[in-house]
Amino acid sequence: MPELHEQSLGWLRYLHRKATTPDSWDRDGRPHEHWDNRTGAPMLSWHRFDLVDSSYALALMCDVTPAWREVYSKILDELCARHTGWWAASDWLTQFGHDPDRESYPDAYRPLIPEKHWSHYDVPGWTANGIEPYGVQMDPIAADGMLFFKGFFGLLLGIQRYVSGDDKWNEPFEMIRDGEHRFSWTYSGIAAHLAGQWHNRRIGCHCENTKIWPYSLSAAGLGLRLHDQLHGTQHHSAFDAWWEHARENYMSWQGDKPIGFDLYYDPVIDEHHGHGPGGLALPAWYLAPQRREVAQAGWELSAMLSGALGDGPIAGLDDPLNAVALLQLAGEFGDDSIRERVWDAAEEFLEPSWDRSSGEFTLGFGLGEPHPRGQLNARAMAARACSAGAWARIFNQPNLSKFDEPTVVGVDFPAVALSEARWNPSRGELRVRAVATNESRGAGLTQFRVTNVASAAGWTLRSDATEAIQLGSTAGDVLVEIPADGRAWTINGG
């Protein structure tokens, strides 16, 4: 039976503390320093990408323990709430017109800018709110651009709904909230608006004015795909229409094999920038559930260049961004042996760290920073929670029956976590494993309840080494008490 890795549970404890530590993302506040606005500069070095990246492992972990979701749901609510704040869109709300510093960019930015436009072109990451022909548009959802805000937010909202079953974010909520600007949206409203914009702009919506990124559009399409699965809409048809355009205009092929993809396309200057094999690997994580054959080509390219499929050294793992990208793709596309080979090789550079007193696990990446780097940790831990095809299944064969099945609540987290929690409908039994934070907590007894049952009467508990024990009930739920020692237990329905 599938079970969560101990590192996944350790990171879950850390992420829970991180997400539930109070801070303010309003304009007159400040996100806590543990939220990452440093990784992937200048494009991804914004706090919101830490929020979105942190959700991926939670969705994957939920599919391993579908009968235990309460902690994941709490964290996801915290992530979504922060994404409505001013700081989540601070780039769009402060970067007006062209970048005044574009004549003095560092040479490190040269690969990101078309050579003939160097010194008079905005670097990726500068949103350029207000340039012609769009004018200033303060609502980052309604705006013609800012795809990398609303597209990723839609994906985050979809994961929250997929994990929790709670449609609370389809009640109107306010965004930005800086006094002068307040915008009301719902999850489904964002999805419908984005799909409408996209249908009217088949070349693709832009992120920064005026760059169209296949990477961001692939993530946005994944969000629409999940909304369709959860709410029966047809919004993903906007991605499908764009894809036909992208195949002909943004990709290169060798026969029926994709060999290159634009990094971005700027329709104003008609520039396809960064076209090549690197652009093919970049969106592979997001394309895996939507265009598997192209994502597979991206994985094979990454594996070939790194040496992941051979038996020699694996190259590029000393670069944290390369390392986590390879780990993610190995998780989704590789078998167990390939996945563990990449993890073993990467460990030297990941700097795995345990706080045994709290049971928290994080990765330092040799950066020597006071807080674990959020985006890098989130992507790596998504890889740790992923098995072959698991990420694609969330969007194509989502487990929606979990909302109607017996569910565990009231676990004494973070002192105790469940590494296994799954209902087997054919056997009428719930299988669970409880794991204590650390040895000092010990393997003493821990209590929780099983809810969402037709009747709390007649339920029994057993392990492989015990006789069945009759369980009690409380307020219509089944009351369970087991040792937090990692042993497997089955709870049978009455």
Side-chain angles (χ1 to χ4, degrees):
M1 293 293 290
E3 183 180 2
L4 291 176
H5 195 282
E6 64 171 348
Q7 292 179 356
S8 293
L9 293 178
W11 186 72
L12 180 65
R13 296 186 188 99
Y14 166 73
L15 184 61
H16 179 264
R17 178 170 62 83
K18 177 177 174 177
T20 57
T21 297
D23 63 354
S24 173
W25 287 49
D26 290 337
R27 185 172 187 171
D28 57 357
R30 184 79 188 185
H32 193 286
E33 290 182 355
H34 56 208
W35 295 107
D36 180 4
N37 67 336
R38 300 176 298 284
T39 298
M43 295 88 72
L44 301 178
S45 51
W46 305 98
H47 296 99
R48 65 177 176 271
F49 287 105
D50 194 350
L51 302 177
V52 179
D53 287 349
S54 294
S55 71
Y56 304 153
L58 298 176
L60 289 159
M61 292 166 72
C62 174
D63 270 10
V64 178
T65 65
W68 182 57
R69 308 183 303 276
E70 58 184 352
V71 176
Y72 314 141
S73 299
K74 171 61 176 174
I75 295 171
L76 286 163
D77 269 343
E78 294 284 351
L79 302 180
C80 290
R82 285 176 171 84
H83 208 292
T84 68
W86 185 91
W87 279 97
S90 60
D91 48 343
W92 186 250
L93 302 172
T94 58
Q95 295 179 342
F96 297 105
H98 293 296
D99 186 355
D101 295 328
R102 63 183 183 171
E103 294 184 5
S104 56
Y105 286 152
D107 284 344
Y109 286 3
R110 284 188 178 274
L112 302 173
I113 295 175
E115 183 59 35
K116 63 185 176 183
H117 296 287
W118 179 256
S119 81
H120 54 277
Y121 188 82
D122 296 330
V123 71
W126 179 270
T127 53
N129 190 358
I131 67 167
E132 295 300 330
Y134 307 105
V136 173
Q137 300 175 311
M138 294 302 291
D139 185 345
I141 301 293
D144 289 287
M146 205 52 170
L147 182 277
F148 61 166
F149 179 88
K150 58 195 156 205
F152 281 97
F153 188 29
L155 179 55
L156 172 58
L157 289 167
I159 289 174
Q160 184 279 335
R161 172 63 175 78
Y162 174 69
V163 169
S164 70
D166 187 345
D167 214 20
K168 63 184 293 183
W169 291 96
N170 254 330
E171 295 296 321
F173 56 85
E174 289 192 326
M175 301 188 61
I176 308 306
R177 306 183 302 274
D178 67 354
E180 181 181 359
H181 304 105
R182 304 173 77 92
F183 308 105
S184 181
W185 286 94
T186 64
Y187 166 38
S188 291
I190 292 171
H193 179 75
L194 173 56
Q197 280 188 319
W198 206 343
H199 276 300
N200 290 327
R201 189 178 174 86
R202 194 180 180 195
I203 63 173
C205 303
H206 51 265
C207 292
E208 314 96 333
N209 290 328
T210 55
K211 300 171 183 67
I212 296 169
W213 289 77
Y215 172 83
S216 297
L217 286 160
S218 298
L222 206 52
L224 295 182
R225 172 68 176 161
L226 190 52
H227 188 278
D228 288 352
Q229 293 282 19
L230 296 169
H231 291 284
T233 51
Q234 299 295 323
H235 296 325
H236 194 254
S237 60
F239 172 90
D240 295 331
W242 168 76
W243 185 258
E244 293 307 310
H245 179 86
R247 281 180 56 89
E248 298 297 323
N249 295 276
Y250 304 154
M251 300 181 69
S252 54
W253 299 79
Q254 190 174 72
D256 59 356
K257 184 178 180 62
I259 58 173
F261 215 156
D262 287 350
L263 186 64
Y264 65 81
Y265 171 64
D266 186 334
V268 173
I269 60 173
D270 192 25
E271 182 75 35
H272 295 263
H273 186 68
H275 187 87
L280 186 66
L282 189 64
W285 176 254
Y286 299 109
L287 287 175
Q290 302 175 93
R291 293 296 184 272
R292 188 86 179 169
E293 70 288 352
V294 174
Q296 179 78 34
W299 152 245
E300 291 173 357
L301 173 67
S302 297
M304 178 190 68
L305 294 176
S306 66
L309 297 183
D311 55 9
I314 299 178
L317 296 176
D318 55 335
D319 181 323
L321 284 171
N322 286 344
V324 296
L326 187 63
L327 286 167
Q328 281 184 278
L329 296 184
E332 175 67 11
F333 291 99
D335 59 24
D336 290 346
S337 62
I338 292 173
R339 186 163 51 253
E340 290 310 310
R341 167 173 154 76
V342 177
W343 271 100
D344 290 345
E347 186 165 310
E348 173 187 355
F349 307 102
L350 297 179
E351 193 186 359
S353 303
W354 280 98
D355 181 338
R356 293 299 180 181
S357 63
S358 64
E360 294 181 0
F361 176 81
T362 56
L363 302 170
F365 292 94
L367 297 173
E369 297 176 336
H371 301 286
R373 187 68 72 87
Q375 293 183 50
L376 298 176
N377 271 262
R379 295 177 209 167
M381 297 316 295
R384 172 56 82 192
C386 193
S387 58
W391 178 243
R393 283 193 294 274
I394 292 170
F395 303 91
N396 295 312
Q397 296 93 36
N399 178 6
L400 304 182
S401 62
K402 61 181 181 280
F403 304 126
D404 300 317
E405 296 173 346
T407 302
V408 175
V409 299
V411 172
D412 184 22
F413 186 87
V416 174
L418 298 188
S419 63
E420 189 176 349
R422 180 180 295 271
W423 174 252
N424 185 325
S426 64
R427 299 173 64 104
E429 67 181 28
L430 175 66
R431 183 179 169 95
V432 297
R433 293 179 193 260
V435 182
T437 298
N438 51 46
E439 291 181 1
S440 64
R441 164 62 172 77
L445 295 176
T446 188
Q447 283 191 349
F448 54 82
R449 293 174 290 117
V450 179
T451 190
N452 208 23
V453 296
S455 170
W459 287 74
T460 60
L461 170 72
R462 65 177 177 83
S463 74
D464 292 339
T466 64
E467 298 290 333
I469 302 168
Q470 197 72 28
L471 293 173
S473 63
T474 178
D477 297 338
V478 181
L479 184 62
V480 181
E481 187 175 68
I482 60 173
D485 59 2
R487 196 185 337 167
W489 294 81
T490 54
I491 305 164
N492 291 84

